Amino acid sequence: MRIRYSNVVRVLLTAVASACFTGSTGSGLTGISGGDNGGSTTAPVLGFFVQPNSANVGQVISPPVEVVVCDSVGSIDSSFTESVTVGLASNPTGASLSGATLVRPVNGIATFSTLRIDKAGTYTLQASASDAATVTSTAFSIATVTTP
């Protein structure tokens, strides 16, 4: 089987280009945003490394929710030391999120190991840090505990 050079190049260019698009402001390419004369002062990018799982009312969400801080090229930014905050993004029941909601990342990952919600429902979390766009988790459920 013969592989044409042009097909290989097209696949590689497509892979590289698709990895660069993040939906950020500017040109749409990570790290390319005009106005700063090519400086390296790009905003950190947040993402949910471990999404929240379903739990029972008042129970700690397990495994712990983790938010990763990345640099402009998508690598984990282990030098980021500012706090990351999580809160309820969608809260149809008026529930309260308790536990440590403000955490400093270690090696670029903020671990929220004590989060719990006090009412049954379906929720999403939102993570934020200074100079970074907020990011929203996938939806998860909190159930009422029933006893026999």
Side-chain angles (χ1 to χ4, degrees), residues 49-131:
F49 192 62
V50 176
Q51 294 280 345
N53 275 330
S54 296
N56 290 327
V57 170
Q59 183 181 52
V60 172
I61 297 170
S62 180
V65 174
E66 292 184 345
V67 176
V68 64
V69 182
C70 294
D71 60 20
S72 63
V73 294
S75 299
I76 294 177
D77 187 353
S78 59
S79 66
F80 187 84
T81 59
E82 296 183 38
S83 294
V84 176
T85 303
V86 294
L88 291 170
S90 66
N91 185 2
T93 66
S96 294
L97 176 68
S98 60
T101 58
L102 181 72
V103 173
R104 288 198 183 273
V106 175
N107 294 321
I109 299 175
T111 302
F112 297 88
S113 59
T114 60
L115 297 178
R116 53 177 54 97
I117 296 176
D118 67 346
K119 293 183 181 178
T122 301
Y123 304 95
T124 57
L125 295 179
Q126 189 172 56
S128 61
S130 63
D131 298 328

Side-chain angles (χ1 to χ4, degrees), residues 10-36:
R10 185 175 333 128
V11 169
L12 290 174
L13 287 175
T14 302
V16 169
S18 65
C20 292
F21 288 94
T22 63
S24 60
T25 59
S27 68
L29 295 175
T30 302
I32 310 279
S33 65
D36 66 352

